[in-house]
Amino acid sequence: MLLIPLAMLGYWAYQHFLPPPAIADPVYVEMRLQIREGGRDVEAALFGRASDDIDCQLRLTRARDHLRTRCPQCRLQLAECKPALAPRYLPLFDERPGNLTYFSYRPSRRGERDVRMIFWGLTVPEANHLCDQMRNLLATLYAGPSNCIRPAS
């Protein structure tokens, strides 16, 4: 009976203490949603790098389940795995400033992945504030570094 808890502990340690895998040929998660908040519609796009199509589908399912249970004001517009992102979104993964504030999360554990999130329909100060809030929230859930990439001046 002791073998099962020890195996589970070993798997947890494997997922949480080993560095993230190098992803040579990523598959991208793309999710778009509309958030109705305070009489306003805010649009969000989330992009993530997965190691392969199976990893991508797993992460997409988890994200959809999370939205269904924790974001009743969110309406999913698009959720798909794709072999490539539109070229305009690739600079996000280099953390280059653009016209909008966006959230950047980089993995530091095996179970984490590279993620970027952009919001439309907010002023720059609102987007900066929302990004800072997300960064503080995710710091308690994930080990990897997160940043708010602010618009270029």
Side-chain angles (χ1 to χ4, degrees), residues 21-30 47-57 59 80-86 89-90 93-94 107 112-116:
I23 299 176
D25 193 20
V27 174
Y28 291 92
V29 173
E30 182 173 343
F47 306 102
R49 279 187 186 152
S51 58
D52 56 32
D53 196 53
I54 293 169
D55 184 40
C56 186
Q57 293 297 334
R59 290 172 190 288
E80 64 184 3
C81 291
K82 36 174 64 175
L85 278 183
Y89 298 120
L90 288 174
F93 286 94
D94 295 330
E112 299 173 346
R113 295 294 181 265
D114 222 350
V115 174
R116 303 298 182 270

PDB file of all heavy atoms in Angstrom, residues 21-30 47-57 59 80-86 89-90 93-94 107 112-116:
ATOM      1  N   PRO A  21      10.953  20.936 -20.354  1.00  0.00           N
ATOM      2  CA  PRO A  21      11.606  20.335 -21.516  1.00  0.00           C
ATOM      3  C   PRO A  21      11.884  21.387 -22.581  1.00  0.00           C
ATOM      4  O   PRO A  21      11.160  22.378 -22.703  1.00  0.00           O
ATOM      5  CB  PRO A  21      10.571  19.323 -22.009  1.00  0.00           C
ATOM      6  CG  PRO A  21       9.261  19.883 -21.562  1.00  0.00           C
ATOM      7  CD  PRO A  21       9.546  20.580 -20.257  1.00  0.00           C
ATOM      8  N   ALA A  22      12.940  21.169 -23.347  1.00  0.00           N
ATOM      9  CA  ALA A  22      13.205  22.033 -24.500  1.00  0.00           C
ATOM     10  C   ALA A  22      12.171  21.665 -25.565  1.00  0.00           C
ATOM     11  O   ALA A  22      11.942  20.488 -25.848  1.00  0.00           O
ATOM     12  CB  ALA A  22      14.614  21.805 -25.009  1.00  0.00           C
ATOM     13  N   ILE A  23      11.532  22.662 -26.137  1.00  0.00           N
ATOM     14  CA  ILE A  23      10.501  22.422 -27.147  1.00  0.00           C
ATOM     15  C   ILE A  23      11.042  22.910 -28.486  1.00  0.00           C
ATOM     16  O   ILE A  23      11.104  24.112 -28.740  1.00  0.00           O
ATOM     17  CB  ILE A  23       9.180  23.121 -26.779  1.00  0.00           C
ATOM     18  CG1 ILE A  23       8.661  22.561 -25.455  1.00  0.00           C
ATOM     19  CG2 ILE A  23       8.152  22.947 -27.881  1.00  0.00           C
ATOM     20  CD1 ILE A  23       7.404  23.241 -24.936  1.00  0.00           C
ATOM     21  N   ALA A  24      11.443  21.965 -29.326  1.00  0.00           N
ATOM     22  CA  ALA A  24      12.065  22.301 -30.603  1.00  0.00           C
ATOM     23  C   ALA A  24      11.033  22.640 -31.677  1.00  0.00           C
ATOM     24  O   ALA A  24      11.245  23.536 -32.485  1.00  0.00           O
ATOM     25  CB  ALA A  24      12.946  21.141 -31.071  1.00  0.00           C
ATOM     26  N   ASP A  25       9.928  21.923 -31.704  1.00  0.00           N
ATOM     27  CA  ASP A  25       8.909  22.101 -32.738  1.00  0.00           C
ATOM     28  C   ASP A  25       7.548  22.259 -32.057  1.00  0.00           C
ATOM     29  O   ASP A  25       6.757  21.317 -32.014  1.00  0.00           O
ATOM     30  CB  ASP A  25       8.933  20.887 -33.676  1.00  0.00           C
ATOM     31  CG  ASP A  25       8.138  21.112 -34.939  1.00  0.00           C
ATOM     32  OD1 ASP A  25       7.878  22.283 -35.291  1.00  0.00           O
ATOM     33  OD2 ASP A  25       7.750  20.107 -35.559  1.00  0.00           O
ATOM     34  N   PRO A  26       7.264  23.445 -31.503  1.00  0.00           N
ATOM     35  CA  PRO A  26       6.054  23.603 -30.691  1.00  0.00           C
ATOM     36  C   PRO A  26       4.760  23.517 -31.490  1.00  0.00           C
ATOM     37  O   PRO A  26       4.720  23.778 -32.686  1.00  0.00           O
ATOM     38  CB  PRO A  26       6.217  25.001 -30.090  1.00  0.00           C
ATOM     39  CG  PRO A  26       7.086  25.719 -31.052  1.00  0.00           C
ATOM     40  CD  PRO A  26       8.006  24.689 -31.645  1.00  0.00           C
ATOM     41  N   VAL A  27       3.718  23.157 -30.771  1.00  0.00           N
ATOM     42  CA  VAL A  27       2.344  23.284 -31.235  1.00  0.00           C
ATOM     43  C   VAL A  27       1.760  24.381 -30.353  1.00  0.00           C
ATOM     44  O   VAL A  27       2.034  24.431 -29.153  1.00  0.00           O
ATOM     45  CB  VAL A  27       1.571  21.963 -31.063  1.00  0.00           C
ATOM     46  CG1 VAL A  27       0.103  22.144 -31.401  1.00  0.00           C
ATOM     47  CG2 VAL A  27       2.196  20.872 -31.922  1.00  0.00           C
ATOM     48  N   TYR A  28       0.995  25.285 -30.936  1.00  0.00           N
ATOM     49  CA  TYR A  28       0.516  26.447 -30.190  1.00  0.00           C
ATOM     50  C   TYR A  28      -0.949  26.310 -29.792  1.00  0.00           C
ATOM     51  O   TYR A  28      -1.783  25.924 -30.597  1.00  0.00           O
ATOM     52  CB  TYR A  28       0.687  27.718 -31.021  1.00  0.00           C
ATOM     53  CG  TYR A  28       2.130  28.088 -31.207  1.00  0.00           C
ATOM     54  CD1 TYR A  28       2.844  27.637 -32.313  1.00  0.00           C
ATOM     55  CD2 TYR A  28       2.789  28.863 -30.262  1.00  0.00           C
ATOM     56  CE1 TYR A  28       4.178  27.966 -32.475  1.00  0.00           C
ATOM     57  CE2 TYR A  28       4.125  29.188 -30.420  1.00  0.00           C
ATOM     58  CZ  TYR A  28       4.816  28.735 -31.529  1.00  0.00           C
ATOM     59  OH  TYR A  28       6.135  29.054 -31.689  1.00  0.00           O
ATOM     60  N   VAL A  29      -1.223  26.640 -28.549  1.00  0.00           N
ATOM     61  CA  VAL A  29      -2.582  26.791 -28.041  1.00  0.00           C
ATOM     62  C   VAL A  29      -2.991  28.224 -28.363  1.00  0.00           C
ATOM     63  O   VAL A  29      -2.234  29.158 -28.111  1.00  0.00           O
ATOM     64  CB  VAL A  29      -2.625  26.605 -26.508  1.00  0.00           C
ATOM     65  CG1 VAL A  29      -4.005  26.923 -25.969  1.00  0.00           C
ATOM     66  CG2 VAL A  29      -2.182  25.227 -26.106  1.00  0.00           C
ATOM     67  N   GLU A  30      -4.166  28.393 -28.916  1.00  0.00           N
ATOM     68  CA  GLU A  30      -4.726  29.735 -29.093  1.00  0.00           C
ATOM     69  C   GLU A  30      -6.150  29.719 -28.574  1.00  0.00           C
ATOM     70  O   GLU A  30      -6.965  28.907 -29.014  1.00  0.00           O
ATOM     71  CB  GLU A  30      -4.701  30.174 -30.557  1.00  0.00           C
ATOM     72  CG  GLU A  30      -5.247  31.581 -30.737  1.00  0.00           C
ATOM     73  CD  GLU A  30      -5.099  32.128 -32.143  1.00  0.00           C
ATOM     74  OE1 GLU A  30      -4.309  31.582 -32.938  1.00  0.00           O
ATOM     75  OE2 GLU A  30      -5.783  33.127 -32.438  1.00  0.00           O
ATOM     76  N   PHE A  47      -2.050  32.680 -25.783  1.00  0.00           N
ATOM     77  CA  PHE A  47      -1.216  31.863 -26.654  1.00  0.00           C
ATOM     78  C   PHE A  47      -0.254  31.076 -25.777  1.00  0.00           C
ATOM     79  O   PHE A  47       0.345  31.635 -24.862  1.00  0.00           O
ATOM     80  CB  PHE A  47      -0.414  32.741 -27.616  1.00  0.00           C
ATOM     81  CG  PHE A  47      -1.258  33.684 -28.411  1.00  0.00           C
ATOM     82  CD1 PHE A  47      -1.347  35.019 -28.065  1.00  0.00           C
ATOM     83  CD2 PHE A  47      -1.986  33.237 -29.495  1.00  0.00           C
ATOM     84  CE1 PHE A  47      -2.129  35.909 -28.783  1.00  0.00           C
ATOM     85  CE2 PHE A  47      -2.787  34.109 -30.224  1.00  0.00           C
ATOM     86  CZ  PHE A  47      -2.851  35.444 -29.870  1.00  0.00           C
ATOM     87  N   GLY A  48      -0.113  29.799 -26.055  1.00  0.00           N
ATOM     88  CA  GLY A  48       0.811  28.971 -25.292  1.00  0.00           C
ATOM     89  C   GLY A  48       1.579  28.031 -26.206  1.00  0.00           C
ATOM     90  O   GLY A  48       1.079  27.625 -27.254  1.00  0.00           O
ATOM     91  N   ARG A  49       2.794  27.709 -25.796  1.00  0.00           N
ATOM     92  CA  ARG A  49       3.615  26.748 -26.530  1.00  0.00           C
ATOM     93  C   ARG A  49       3.507  25.391 -25.863  1.00  0.00           C
ATOM     94  O   ARG A  49       3.811  25.248 -24.682  1.00  0.00           O
ATOM     95  CB  ARG A  49       5.087  27.160 -26.496  1.00  0.00           C
ATOM     96  CG  ARG A  49       5.464  28.204 -27.471  1.00  0.00           C
ATOM     97  CD  ARG A  49       6.977  28.366 -27.442  1.00  0.00           C
ATOM     98  NE  ARG A  49       7.358  29.475 -28.275  1.00  0.00           N
ATOM     99  CZ  ARG A  49       8.430  30.204 -28.092  1.00  0.00           C
ATOM    100  NH1 ARG A  49       9.243  29.944 -27.096  1.00  0.00           N
ATOM    101  NH2 ARG A  49       8.718  31.196 -28.900  1.00  0.00           N
ATOM    102  N   ALA A  50       3.100  24.391 -26.623  1.00  0.00           N
ATOM    103  CA  ALA A  50       3.014  23.019 -26.122  1.00  0.00           C
ATOM    104  C   ALA A  50       4.077  22.176 -26.821  1.00  0.00           C
ATOM    105  O   ALA A  50       4.545  22.527 -27.903  1.00  0.00           O
ATOM    106  CB  ALA A  50       1.626  22.455 -26.392  1.00  0.00           C
ATOM    107  N   SER A  51       4.427  21.063 -26.196  1.00  0.00           N
ATOM    108  CA  SER A  51       5.505  20.239 -26.748  1.00  0.00           C
ATOM    109  C   SER A  51       5.075  19.429 -27.967  1.00  0.00           C
ATOM    110  O   SER A  51       5.896  19.117 -28.821  1.00  0.00           O
ATOM    111  CB  SER A  51       6.064  19.312 -25.672  1.00  0.00           C
ATOM    112  OG  SER A  51       5.041  18.505 -25.152  1.00  0.00           O
ATOM    113  N   ASP A  52       3.785  19.104 -28.056  1.00  0.00           N
ATOM    114  CA  ASP A  52       3.261  18.357 -29.206  1.00  0.00           C
ATOM    115  C   ASP A  52       1.739  18.493 -29.186  1.00  0.00           C
ATOM    116  O   ASP A  52       1.174  19.168 -28.328  1.00  0.00           O
ATOM    117  CB  ASP A  52       3.706  16.893 -29.178  1.00  0.00           C
ATOM    118  CG  ASP A  52       3.335  16.163 -27.895  1.00  0.00           C
ATOM    119  OD1 ASP A  52       2.283  16.478 -27.286  1.00  0.00           O
ATOM    120  OD2 ASP A  52       4.097  15.271 -27.490  1.00  0.00           O
ATOM    121  N   ASP A  53       1.073  17.850 -30.140  1.00  0.00           N
ATOM    122  CA  ASP A  53      -0.378  17.993 -30.233  1.00  0.00           C
ATOM    123  C   ASP A  53      -1.101  17.409 -29.017  1.00  0.00           C
ATOM    124  O   ASP A  53      -2.093  17.969 -28.556  1.00  0.00           O
ATOM    125  CB  ASP A  53      -0.896  17.343 -31.522  1.00  0.00           C
ATOM    126  CG  ASP A  53      -2.306  17.808 -31.836  1.00  0.00           C
ATOM    127  OD1 ASP A  53      -2.530  19.036 -31.884  1.00  0.00           O
ATOM    128  OD2 ASP A  53      -3.191  16.950 -31.998  1.00  0.00           O
ATOM    129  N   ILE A  54      -0.611  16.311 -28.483  1.00  0.00           N
ATOM    130  CA  ILE A  54      -1.243  15.711 -27.296  1.00  0.00           C
ATOM    131  C   ILE A  54      -1.149  16.666 -26.108  1.00  0.00           C
ATOM    132  O   ILE A  54      -2.126  16.896 -25.398  1.00  0.00           O
ATOM    133  CB  ILE A  54      -0.605  14.335 -26.976  1.00  0.00           C
ATOM    134  CG1 ILE A  54      -0.954  13.348 -28.083  1.00  0.00           C
ATOM    135  CG2 ILE A  54      -1.082  13.828 -25.616  1.00  0.00           C
ATOM    136  CD1 ILE A  54      -0.187  12.048 -28.018  1.00  0.00           C
ATOM    137  N   ASP A  55       0.044  17.234 -25.897  1.00  0.00           N
ATOM    138  CA  ASP A  55       0.244  18.212 -24.826  1.00  0.00           C
ATOM    139  C   ASP A  55      -0.673  19.412 -25.034  1.00  0.00           C
ATOM    140  O   ASP A  55      -1.303  19.903 -24.098  1.00  0.00           O
ATOM    141  CB  ASP A  55       1.725  18.634 -24.812  1.00  0.00           C
ATOM    142  CG  ASP A  55       2.078  19.584 -23.687  1.00  0.00           C
ATOM    143  OD1 ASP A  55       1.583  19.389 -22.558  1.00  0.00           O
ATOM    144  OD2 ASP A  55       2.873  20.513 -23.936  1.00  0.00           O
ATOM    145  N   CYS A  56      -0.782  19.872 -26.267  1.00  0.00           N
ATOM    146  CA  CYS A  56      -1.629  21.020 -26.581  1.00  0.00           C
ATOM    147  C   CYS A  56      -3.094  20.722 -26.268  1.00  0.00           C
ATOM    148  O   CYS A  56      -3.776  21.524 -25.631  1.00  0.00           O
ATOM    149  CB  CYS A  56      -1.463  21.398 -28.056  1.00  0.00           C
ATOM    150  SG  CYS A  56      -2.332  22.902 -28.504  1.00  0.00           S
ATOM    151  N   GLN A  57      -3.591  19.577 -26.706  1.00  0.00           N
ATOM    152  CA  GLN A  57      -4.993  19.224 -26.454  1.00  0.00           C
ATOM    153  C   GLN A  57      -5.276  19.092 -24.961  1.00  0.00           C
ATOM    154  O   GLN A  57      -6.321  19.531 -24.486  1.00  0.00           O
ATOM    155  CB  GLN A  57      -5.348  17.915 -27.181  1.00  0.00           C
ATOM    156  CG  GLN A  57      -5.349  18.023 -28.683  1.00  0.00           C
ATOM    157  CD  GLN A  57      -6.399  18.984 -29.223  1.00  0.00           C
ATOM    158  OE1 GLN A  57      -7.433  19.243 -28.607  1.00  0.00           O
ATOM    159  NE2 GLN A  57      -6.132  19.539 -30.396  1.00  0.00           N
ATOM    160  N   ARG A  59      -3.723  20.706 -22.495  1.00  0.00           N
ATOM    161  CA  ARG A  59      -3.727  22.047 -21.914  1.00  0.00           C
ATOM    162  C   ARG A  59      -4.967  22.829 -22.326  1.00  0.00           C
ATOM    163  O   ARG A  59      -5.523  23.597 -21.550  1.00  0.00           O
ATOM    164  CB  ARG A  59      -2.443  22.777 -22.275  1.00  0.00           C
ATOM    165  CG  ARG A  59      -1.279  22.144 -21.542  1.00  0.00           C
ATOM    166  CD  ARG A  59       0.077  22.613 -21.922  1.00  0.00           C
ATOM    167  NE  ARG A  59       1.056  21.743 -21.312  1.00  0.00           N
ATOM    168  CZ  ARG A  59       1.362  21.711 -20.021  1.00  0.00           C
ATOM    169  NH1 ARG A  59       0.762  22.518 -19.177  1.00  0.00           N
ATOM    170  NH2 ARG A  59       2.274  20.880 -19.555  1.00  0.00           N
ATOM    171  N   GLU A  80      -8.155  26.371 -29.958  1.00  0.00           N
ATOM    172  CA  GLU A  80      -7.599  25.405 -30.895  1.00  0.00           C
ATOM    173  C   GLU A  80      -6.099  25.240 -30.724  1.00  0.00           C
ATOM    174  O   GLU A  80      -5.430  26.094 -30.141  1.00  0.00           O
ATOM    175  CB  GLU A  80      -7.915  25.789 -32.339  1.00  0.00           C
ATOM    176  CG  GLU A  80      -7.308  27.090 -32.797  1.00  0.00           C
ATOM    177  CD  GLU A  80      -7.726  27.466 -34.214  1.00  0.00           C
ATOM    178  OE1 GLU A  80      -8.528  26.751 -34.842  1.00  0.00           O
ATOM    179  OE2 GLU A  80      -7.239  28.499 -34.697  1.00  0.00           O
ATOM    180  N   CYS A  81      -5.615  24.125 -31.230  1.00  0.00           N
ATOM    181  CA  CYS A  81      -4.187  23.860 -31.312  1.00  0.00           C
ATOM    182  C   CYS A  81      -3.792  24.047 -32.766  1.00  0.00           C
ATOM    183  O   CYS A  81      -4.517  23.630 -33.666  1.00  0.00           O
ATOM    184  CB  CYS A  81      -3.885  22.435 -30.870  1.00  0.00           C
ATOM    185  SG  CYS A  81      -4.155  22.161 -29.113  1.00  0.00           S
ATOM    186  N   LYS A  82      -2.654  24.670 -32.994  1.00  0.00           N
ATOM    187  CA  LYS A  82      -2.209  24.905 -34.364  1.00  0.00           C
ATOM    188  C   LYS A  82      -0.699  24.747 -34.461  1.00  0.00           C
ATOM    189  O   LYS A  82       0.009  25.019 -33.492  1.00  0.00           O
ATOM    190  CB  LYS A  82      -2.661  26.261 -34.872  1.00  0.00           C
ATOM    191  CG  LYS A  82      -2.682  27.360 -33.851  1.00  0.00           C
ATOM    192  CD  LYS A  82      -2.995  28.739 -34.373  1.00  0.00           C
ATOM    193  CE  LYS A  82      -4.345  28.916 -34.956  1.00  0.00           C
ATOM    194  NZ  LYS A  82      -4.625  30.296 -35.323  1.00  0.00           N
ATOM    195  N   PRO A  83      -0.220  24.359 -35.615  1.00  0.00           N
ATOM    196  CA  PRO A  83       1.222  24.140 -35.779  1.00  0.00           C
ATOM    197  C   PRO A  83       2.027  25.435 -35.818  1.00  0.00           C
ATOM    198  O   PRO A  83       3.234  25.412 -35.591  1.00  0.00           O
ATOM    199  CB  PRO A  83       1.326  23.392 -37.106  1.00  0.00           C
ATOM    200  CG  PRO A  83       0.068  23.718 -37.836  1.00  0.00           C
ATOM    201  CD  PRO A  83      -0.984  23.976 -36.796  1.00  0.00           C
ATOM    202  N   ALA A  84       1.366  26.553 -36.086  1.00  0.00           N
ATOM    203  CA  ALA A  84       2.071  27.839 -36.148  1.00  0.00           C
ATOM    204  C   ALA A  84       1.123  28.956 -35.736  1.00  0.00           C
ATOM    205  O   ALA A  84      -0.085  28.851 -35.913  1.00  0.00           O
ATOM    206  CB  ALA A  84       2.586  28.088 -37.562  1.00  0.00           C
ATOM    207  N   LEU A  85       1.706  30.016 -35.199  1.00  0.00           N
ATOM    208  CA  LEU A  85       0.933  31.215 -34.869  1.00  0.00           C
ATOM    209  C   LEU A  85       1.003  32.189 -36.025  1.00  0.00           C
ATOM    210  O   LEU A  85       1.949  32.149 -36.822  1.00  0.00           O
ATOM    211  CB  LEU A  85       1.531  31.911 -33.649  1.00  0.00           C
ATOM    212  CG  LEU A  85       1.179  31.388 -32.281  1.00  0.00           C
ATOM    213  CD1 LEU A  85       1.822  32.254 -31.206  1.00  0.00           C
ATOM    214  CD2 LEU A  85      -0.314  31.333 -32.060  1.00  0.00           C
ATOM    215  N   ALA A  86       0.036  33.085 -36.071  1.00  0.00           N
ATOM    216  CA  ALA A  86       0.115  34.177 -37.036  1.00  0.00           C
ATOM    217  C   ALA A  86       1.403  34.951 -36.750  1.00  0.00           C
ATOM    218  O   ALA A  86       1.751  35.162 -35.577  1.00  0.00           O
ATOM    219  CB  ALA A  86      -1.099  35.085 -36.893  1.00  0.00           C
ATOM    220  N   TYR A  89       1.938  37.517 -33.880  1.00  0.00           N
ATOM    221  CA  TYR A  89       1.973  37.126 -32.472  1.00  0.00           C
ATOM    222  C   TYR A  89       3.297  36.504 -32.032  1.00  0.00           C
ATOM    223  O   TYR A  89       3.557  36.405 -30.842  1.00  0.00           O
ATOM    224  CB  TYR A  89       0.821  36.165 -32.149  1.00  0.00           C
ATOM    225  CG  TYR A  89      -0.528  36.789 -32.368  1.00  0.00           C
ATOM    226  CD1 TYR A  89      -1.421  36.255 -33.274  1.00  0.00           C
ATOM    227  CD2 TYR A  89      -0.897  37.940 -31.680  1.00  0.00           C
ATOM    228  CE1 TYR A  89      -2.666  36.844 -33.486  1.00  0.00           C
ATOM    229  CE2 TYR A  89      -2.133  38.536 -31.886  1.00  0.00           C
ATOM    230  CZ  TYR A  89      -3.008  37.979 -32.792  1.00  0.00           C
ATOM    231  OH  TYR A  89      -4.227  38.565 -32.997  1.00  0.00           O
ATOM    232  N   LEU A  90       4.118  36.095 -32.961  1.00  0.00           N
ATOM    233  CA  LEU A  90       5.393  35.468 -32.592  1.00  0.00           C
ATOM    234  C   LEU A  90       6.311  36.371 -31.771  1.00  0.00           C
ATOM    235  O   LEU A  90       6.970  35.893 -30.847  1.00  0.00           O
ATOM    236  CB  LEU A  90       6.112  34.951 -33.834  1.00  0.00           C
ATOM    237  CG  LEU A  90       5.473  33.709 -34.455  1.00  0.00           C
ATOM    238  CD1 LEU A  90       6.165  33.354 -35.762  1.00  0.00           C
ATOM    239  CD2 LEU A  90       5.495  32.543 -33.491  1.00  0.00           C
ATOM    240  N   PHE A  93       6.539  36.073 -27.883  1.00  0.00           N
ATOM    241  CA  PHE A  93       7.363  35.075 -27.204  1.00  0.00           C
ATOM    242  C   PHE A  93       8.820  35.519 -27.053  1.00  0.00           C
ATOM    243  O   PHE A  93       9.588  34.893 -26.339  1.00  0.00           O
ATOM    244  CB  PHE A  93       7.251  33.718 -27.902  1.00  0.00           C
ATOM    245  CG  PHE A  93       5.932  33.061 -27.614  1.00  0.00           C
ATOM    246  CD1 PHE A  93       4.866  33.220 -28.478  1.00  0.00           C
ATOM    247  CD2 PHE A  93       5.749  32.329 -26.462  1.00  0.00           C
ATOM    248  CE1 PHE A  93       3.632  32.645 -28.199  1.00  0.00           C
ATOM    249  CE2 PHE A  93       4.523  31.755 -26.168  1.00  0.00           C
ATOM    250  CZ  PHE A  93       3.463  31.910 -27.039  1.00  0.00           C
ATOM    251  N   ASP A  94       9.183  36.628 -27.711  1.00  0.00           N
ATOM    252  CA  ASP A  94      10.501  37.234 -27.504  1.00  0.00           C
ATOM    253  C   ASP A  94      10.419  38.361 -26.481  1.00  0.00           C
ATOM    254  O   ASP A  94      11.405  39.059 -26.241  1.00  0.00           O
ATOM    255  CB  ASP A  94      11.044  37.786 -28.822  1.00  0.00           C
ATOM    256  CG  ASP A  94      11.315  36.693 -29.826  1.00  0.00           C
ATOM    257  OD1 ASP A  94      11.645  35.567 -29.405  1.00  0.00           O
ATOM    258  OD2 ASP A  94      11.186  36.957 -31.034  1.00  0.00           O
ATOM    259  N   PRO A 107       8.104  29.167 -18.254  1.00  0.00           N
ATOM    260  CA  PRO A 107       8.132  28.005 -17.366  1.00  0.00           C
ATOM    261  C   PRO A 107       9.475  27.825 -16.668  1.00  0.00           C
ATOM    262  O   PRO A 107      10.519  28.235 -17.167  1.00  0.00           O
ATOM    263  CB  PRO A 107       7.875  26.837 -18.323  1.00  0.00           C
ATOM    264  CG  PRO A 107       8.427  27.308 -19.623  1.00  0.00           C
ATOM    265  CD  PRO A 107       8.175  28.796 -19.663  1.00  0.00           C
ATOM    266  N   GLU A 112       5.108  23.067 -16.602  1.00  0.00           N
ATOM    267  CA  GLU A 112       4.692  24.419 -16.999  1.00  0.00           C
ATOM    268  C   GLU A 112       5.051  24.678 -18.462  1.00  0.00           C
ATOM    269  O   GLU A 112       5.931  24.029 -19.009  1.00  0.00           O
ATOM    270  CB  GLU A 112       5.366  25.442 -16.089  1.00  0.00           C
ATOM    271  CG  GLU A 112       4.975  25.273 -14.634  1.00  0.00           C
ATOM    272  CD  GLU A 112       5.745  26.170 -13.680  1.00  0.00           C
ATOM    273  OE1 GLU A 112       6.773  26.750 -14.062  1.00  0.00           O
ATOM    274  OE2 GLU A 112       5.316  26.285 -12.529  1.00  0.00           O
ATOM    275  N   ARG A 113       4.364  25.641 -19.064  1.00  0.00           N
ATOM    276  CA  ARG A 113       4.616  26.000 -20.452  1.00  0.00           C
ATOM    277  C   ARG A 113       4.697  27.519 -20.610  1.00  0.00           C
ATOM    278  O   ARG A 113       4.230  28.274 -19.768  1.00  0.00           O
ATOM    279  CB  ARG A 113       3.511  25.457 -21.372  1.00  0.00           C
ATOM    280  CG  ARG A 113       3.438  23.942 -21.437  1.00  0.00           C
ATOM    281  CD  ARG A 113       4.678  23.345 -22.083  1.00  0.00           C
ATOM    282  NE  ARG A 113       4.621  21.899 -22.175  1.00  0.00           N
ATOM    283  CZ  ARG A 113       5.157  21.073 -21.284  1.00  0.00           C
ATOM    284  NH1 ARG A 113       5.762  21.542 -20.210  1.00  0.00           N
ATOM    285  NH2 ARG A 113       5.076  19.772 -21.461  1.00  0.00           N
ATOM    286  N   ASP A 114       5.249  27.933 -21.724  1.00  0.00           N
ATOM    287  CA  ASP A 114       5.384  29.333 -22.104  1.00  0.00           C
ATOM    288  C   ASP A 114       4.011  29.871 -22.507  1.00  0.00           C
ATOM    289  O   ASP A 114       3.369  29.303 -23.398  1.00  0.00           O
ATOM    290  CB  ASP A 114       6.323  29.388 -23.313  1.00  0.00           C
ATOM    291  CG  ASP A 114       7.324  30.503 -23.269  1.00  0.00           C
ATOM    292  OD1 ASP A 114       7.212  31.378 -22.400  1.00  0.00           O
ATOM    293  OD2 ASP A 114       8.222  30.494 -24.129  1.00  0.00           O
ATOM    294  N   VAL A 115       3.541  30.969 -21.887  1.00  0.00           N
ATOM    295  CA  VAL A 115       2.205  31.503 -22.144  1.00  0.00           C
ATOM    296  C   VAL A 115       2.271  33.024 -22.281  1.00  0.00           C
ATOM    297  O   VAL A 115       3.021  33.693 -21.568  1.00  0.00           O
ATOM    298  CB  VAL A 115       1.229  31.138 -20.990  1.00  0.00           C
ATOM    299  CG1 VAL A 115      -0.122  31.804 -21.170  1.00  0.00           C
ATOM    300  CG2 VAL A 115       1.079  29.631 -20.875  1.00  0.00           C
ATOM    301  N   ARG A 116       1.460  33.566 -23.189  1.00  0.00           N
ATOM    302  CA  ARG A 116       1.284  35.008 -23.329  1.00  0.00           C
ATOM    303  C   ARG A 116      -0.213  35.296 -23.383  1.00  0.00           C
ATOM    304  O   ARG A 116      -0.983  34.514 -23.937  1.00  0.00           O
ATOM    305  CB  ARG A 116       1.933  35.546 -24.612  1.00  0.00           C
ATOM    306  CG  ARG A 116       3.417  35.252 -24.756  1.00  0.00           C
ATOM    307  CD  ARG A 116       4.244  35.887 -23.641  1.00  0.00           C
ATOM    308  NE  ARG A 116       5.659  35.649 -23.802  1.00  0.00           N
ATOM    309  CZ  ARG A 116       6.327  34.614 -23.316  1.00  0.00           C
ATOM    310  NH1 ARG A 116       5.698  33.695 -22.626  1.00  0.00           N
ATOM    311  NH2 ARG A 116       7.620  34.490 -23.498  1.00  0.00           N
TER     312      ARG A 116
END
